[in-house]
Amino acid sequence: MVRGTVKDLAIRYLGVGAKKVWLDPNQMDKIKSVKTREGIRDLIAQGLIRRKFTVGGSCKPARGPFLYPKEEVFKLNNNSVNKNE
């Protein structure tokens, strides 16, 4: 895998992290020969360099109140409401 200037330029141009950049393994000779940002743009237009898209998000909403039994959640919520009054 090329980690030198080509991937670094692609990371900066795409604005993503190192794990989100995909380089076509079949065209590595062509990718290695590019040294400029214009060349990186051309490779992106050709589809030799792509941004990986991942579906994901925070796990917090899924974990949220389900860590506690329902009775304890209601007790916690009722106590906070009583303190504010």
Side-chain angles (χ1 to χ4, degrees):
M1 181 68 66
V2 177
R3 177 65 183 144
T5 59
V6 176
K7 191 162 186 179
D8 289 334
L9 285 173
I11 289 168
R12 288 189 206 127
Y13 184 75
L14 293 173
V16 296
K19 293 182 179 181
K20 298 287 184 177
V21 174
W22 178 82
L23 304 174
D24 189 1
N26 298 327
Q27 300 290 330
M28 289 307 268
D29 296 332
K30 192 172 184 180
I31 292 172
K32 287 180 184 179
S33 65
V34 174
K35 301 288 182 190
T36 62
R37 290 177 71 97
E38 292 176 13
I40 297 294
R41 283 186 218 129
D42 292 339
L43 292 178
I44 291 171
Q46 294 172 11
L48 301 180
I49 298 177
R50 297 181 193 161
R51 177 183 176 201
K52 293 180 188 176
F53 289 97
T54 56
V55 177
S58 175
C59 295
K60 182 64 177 167
R63 293 180 190 164
F66 302 109
L67 294 175
Y68 306 103
K70 286 185 178 179
E71 298 166 359
E72 291 182 21
V73 172
F74 290 125
K75 286 179 188 175
L76 292 173
N77 290 337
N78 289 336
N79 288 339
S80 63
V81 171
N82 290 337
K83 288 180 182 177
N84 291 335
E85 290 179 5

